[in-house]
Amino acid sequence: MERKELAVELKHNGNNCAQAVLCAFEDEVGLSKEELRKIGAGFGVGMGCMESTCGALCGAQMVLGMKKYDGKPVLRDAAGILKEFENRCGATVCKDLKGRDTGVVVCDCDDCVRHAVEIAEQL
């Protein structure tokens, strides 16, 4: 199964978007699924209120840190992830992606998870 589809399956089985992205990289980051679920627990639904950054994007940024951080800043890569996610999904804030205020869904959760995983795979 492709990693992005694994992440979507994880999302539909008790994980928020951040946890789903993180757990899809369990084999690469050296932490257990339970540890990754704990790390991502507070990042779903735009940090619990739809007012903040998409959990899938947060998960991709955490994967970046675990895969590439070696004591030197990864800010350029982090900015690249953010821009690529926004290009693919149309926004970065949960409420904007889900159309909470407009009634127009820009990108659904499953596709946000897929895009976040694809972007993180490119690291």
Side-chain angles (χ1 to χ4, degrees):
M1 175 182 299
E2 285 183 280
R3 189 184 308 269
K4 66 185 178 181
E5 296 308 323
L6 170 62
V8 171
E9 184 177 301
L10 288 163
K11 185 195 168 306
H12 288 276
N13 287 289
N15 296 282
N16 68 39
C17 294
Q19 291 169 320
V21 172
L22 284 166
C23 289
F25 287 90
E26 176 186 16
D27 62 326
E28 291 189 26
V29 299
L31 295 173
S32 72
K33 195 166 279 160
E34 189 56 33
E35 290 168 317
L36 293 167
R37 290 182 79 214
K38 287 179 182 180
I39 291 167
F43 292 91
V45 193
M47 296 187 203
C49 63
M50 295 185 85
E51 294 289 332
S52 196
T53 304
C54 168
L57 174 55
C58 292
Q61 295 288 12
M62 289 185 261
V63 170
L64 164 68
M66 288 185 276
K67 286 177 68 172
K68 290 194 82 173
Y69 181 73
D70 64 359
K72 297 176 186 156
V74 293
L75 301 177
R76 182 171 288 145
D77 290 325
I81 289 171
L82 176 74
K83 288 177 185 169
E84 182 63 21
F85 186 89
E86 186 169 24
N87 287 341
R88 291 182 186 206
C89 298
T92 61
V93 174
C94 184
K95 70 177 182 176
D96 298 334
L97 290 159
K98 303 304 153 259
R100 186 191 74 188
D101 298 338
T102 64
V104 177
V105 175
V106 176
C107 189
D108 68 31
C109 292
D110 288 357
D111 284 338
C112 287
V113 167
R114 285 184 184 100
H115 291 306
V117 168
E118 288 173 345
I119 294 164
E121 283 181 318
Q122 294 171 3
L123 299 173

